[in-house]
Amino acid sequence: MAMTGVMRPGHVQIRVLDIDEAVSHYRDNLGMIETDRDAEGRVYLKCWDEHDKFSVVLREADEPGMDHMAFKVRAEQDLWRFESDLKKAGCNVERIQTGELSGCGERVRFDTPTGHVFELFATKEVVGNGISTTNPAPWPEGLQGMAAVRFDHCLLYGGDIDGTVKIFTEILEFDLAEQVVDGELQIAAFLSCSTKAHDIAFIRHEEDGKFHHASFLLSTWEQVLKAADIISMRDIPIDIGPTRHGLTRGQTIYFFDPSGNRNEVFCEDSYRYPDSPVLTWTVDHLGQAIFYHSRELNDRFLSVLT
Amino acid sequence: MTYSITIINSEEKYSCEAEQTILNGMVQLGKKGIPVGCKGGGCGICKVAILEGEFSSKKMSRKHISKEEEKQGVVLACRTMPKSDLRLKALGVIKTAILN
């Protein structure tokens, strides 16, 4: 297997105002599976096709938003290599002990110039995806709601995206997959550590440390439409969609969890390889880059953040 | 029970059910006086000052509503239900913030 270093998004820890309402949303609406609760009251969930124990951790707090996003690295030695390089780059770096998150190995936590906290880890308890690894069925029975396949990426907002992009590309070996530019100024950067269209994205914004959305994969456009039906049937606050993004080509719908954190479910976005060209959108096509059909910017989508 | 809500910025009036948030009540009748954000108490866009009337609010992000503000009737419309007719002032601003 050629993939080395950072493999994929591992999990996101999200702050919520009411833990019970939040668990109902992520479990019953997104269709995630609750796998644990810890002494601090945090709740752990995974999407059905994830083998590791959790990809979302919910923590009750006074302010919604993102505590941290964590990436899984291929091997333990990657942790220590990245830890050293992140320190040299001037990030605040600390080690979080094994088991601080239930079932997760030692983590390397670091901050970025956009005011976000990220973590790397190499091991997490494996619970399986509910399907045998011998003669596997295509999907497990008994899935709920939108039946999200996996936690896919986050979009984050902050000021110095140049500095953060530099850390992700030069130290963590992500590739710039797609971008929006205003002349020389990069205003959005979509970064990939894999063959996905993006594993993390940043948009330039006046305030640091902001969380735009956590995104979850579906398989088909029909499943995106079904998600839209569920959003209306259950009176979930909708943001926008179903529609298509120009950026990444994803077919998408956005909505909010009960604490106002934005979620996306999407399908069929593009892919890349290390030799793929960087795709660039110019600011005069920003409307189309974001919403390919309406070609109109939407103030709420751009500025409502937690 | 239905109450009358007045947004003084625009002098818009609409009726709102007791079990409905004052933001959802507004949205359902096509009014636009209070900017609409996440509808979950998280983003702060629908911040209002209640000038007259009784109401109750669910938990709101402390980043946007301090304890002091909450005591003074400054709340998020998406987390607030009317218990009487209300007069309120919209304080939140939605802005396009991508191109700073």
Side-chain angles (χ1 to χ4, degrees):
Chain A
M1 173 64 158
M3 198 181 288
T4 58
V6 180
M7 287 195 296
R8 62 163 183 267
H11 62 260
V12 58
Q13 182 166 306
I14 299 171
R15 296 188 301 273
V16 298
L17 293 172
D18 182 300
I19 194 76
D20 295 330
E21 286 181 6
V23 171
S24 296
H25 171 76
Y26 286 91
R27 185 190 56 207
D28 304 337
N29 296 337
L30 278 157
M32 298 185 78
I33 297 155
E34 183 180 330
T35 53
D36 206 357
R37 296 188 178 222
D38 67 20
E40 287 178 50
R42 291 180 298 188
V43 179
Y44 299 65
L45 303 107
K46 68 181 275 294
C47 295
W48 74 262
D49 205 15
E50 293 170 319
H51 292 264
D52 284 358
K53 182 177 175 181
F54 60 89
S55 59
V56 167
V57 181
L58 302 173
R59 180 172 77 84
E60 189 168 283
D62 285 337
E63 293 177 16
M66 185 187 86
D67 277 338
H68 70 263
M69 179 182 178
F71 294 91
K72 190 173 191 182
V73 301
R74 189 80 200 281
E76 196 123 319
Q77 69 228 40
D78 294 319
L79 276 187
W80 316 132
R81 172 167 68 95
F82 289 133
E83 178 187 47
S84 162
D85 292 346
L86 289 162
K87 277 183 183 162
K88 278 184 217 151
C91 299
N92 293 302
V93 182
E94 62 176 315
R95 289 191 190 185
I96 310 295
Q97 64 186 21
T98 300
E100 192 278 334
L101 278 167
S102 171
C104 192
E106 197 164 10
R107 288 130 65 200
V108 170
R109 176 179 291 177
F110 63 99
D111 65 355
T112 58
T114 43
H116 298 101
V117 175
F118 294 98
E119 294 182 351
L120 306 172
F121 66 94
T123 57
K124 192 181 279 181
E125 185 185 334
V126 174
V127 298
N129 66 353
I131 297 172
S132 173
T133 54
T134 305
N135 307 322
W139 40 268
E141 295 189 42
L143 299 175
Q144 302 297 313
M146 300 173 195
V149 174
R150 68 164 185 242
F151 164 53
D152 190 88
H153 64 267
C154 287
L155 170 59
L156 306 173
Y157 275 39
D160 180 12
I161 67 168
D162 312 298
T164 296
V165 167
K166 202 170 169 193
I167 287 165
F168 272 86
T169 55
E170 293 183 8
I171 296 175
L172 300 177
E173 300 161 356
F174 282 57
D175 290 329
L176 177 67
E178 203 156 354
Q179 62 180 343
V180 180
V181 297
D182 183 4
E184 295 294 300
L185 187 70
Q186 187 179 57
I187 57 177
F190 288 64
L191 308 175
S192 176
C193 62
S194 63
T195 58
K196 287 160 59 190
H198 59 327
D199 290 290
I200 180 81
F202 296 95
I203 286 185
R204 194 180 294 277
H205 180 66
E206 60 193 354
E207 198 178 349
D208 279 336
K210 302 306 280 185
F211 179 51
H212 186 273
H213 71 262
S215 182
F216 300 87
L217 181 70
L218 301 179
S219 301
T220 65
W221 174 237
E222 190 177 6
Q223 289 178 1
V224 175
L225 297 185
K226 182 185 165 195
D229 293 340
I230 290 170
I231 286 167
S232 189
M233 285 157 67
R234 301 184 183 174
D235 201 21
I236 300 165
I238 188 168
D239 189 23
I240 196 157
T243 184
R244 182 197 284 279
H245 287 307
L247 283 151
T248 76
R249 297 182 205 159
Q251 300 161 25
T252 176
I253 187 165
Y254 288 88
F255 49 100
F256 295 100
D257 79 7
S259 304
N261 297 302
R262 190 185 278 96
N263 298 153
E264 175 189 33
V265 290
F266 78 101
C267 69
E268 295 175 349
D269 59 344
S270 59
Y271 62 90
R272 69 184 316 286
Y273 285 98
D275 63 344
S276 298
V278 175
L279 304 178
T280 298
W281 293 83
T282 53
V283 73
D284 55 318
H285 282 66
L286 185 59
Q288 195 178 39
I290 298 180
F291 301 119
Y292 196 73
H293 299 151
S294 73
R295 288 156 280 154
E296 282 176 14
L297 293 178
N298 169 315
D299 286 343
R300 183 171 61 212
F301 186 80
L302 294 177
S303 61
V304 167
L305 306 165
T306 56
Chain B
M1 197 66 194
T2 300
Y3 299 111
S4 171
I5 314 296
T6 305
I7 305 171
I8 66 158
N9 313 59
S10 53
E11 280 303 324
E12 275 176 292
K13 255 189 201 184
Y14 61 95
S15 53
C16 182
E17 304 278 333
E19 56 275 9
Q20 196 172 33
T21 68
I22 55 181
L23 191 70
N24 271 338
M26 181 195 81
V27 169
Q28 286 194 1
L29 294 169
K31 309 277 183 181
K32 296 186 176 351
I34 306 169
V36 180
C38 72
K39 291 189 173 177
C43 76
I45 297 282
C46 65
K47 193 168 178 173
V48 298
I50 309 280
L51 307 174
E52 287 170 32
E54 301 295 313
F55 59 92
S56 64
S57 292
K58 289 175 71 181
K59 191 172 172 185
M60 300 167 280
S61 175
R62 272 283 169 249
K63 181 176 170 60
H64 299 292
I65 302 292
S66 68
K67 282 183 185 167
E68 201 49 44
E69 285 177 316
E70 197 171 344
K71 275 184 210 154
Q72 292 166 1
V74 174
V75 295
L76 299 180
C78 69
R79 303 288 276 181
T80 299
M81 280 72 64
K83 289 180 166 178
S84 73
D85 292 350
L86 298 178
R87 284 175 62 81
L88 62 86
K89 184 178 182 188
L91 303 175
V93 181
I94 194 160
K95 54 185 175 177
T96 299
I98 198 165
L99 299 176
N100 287 295

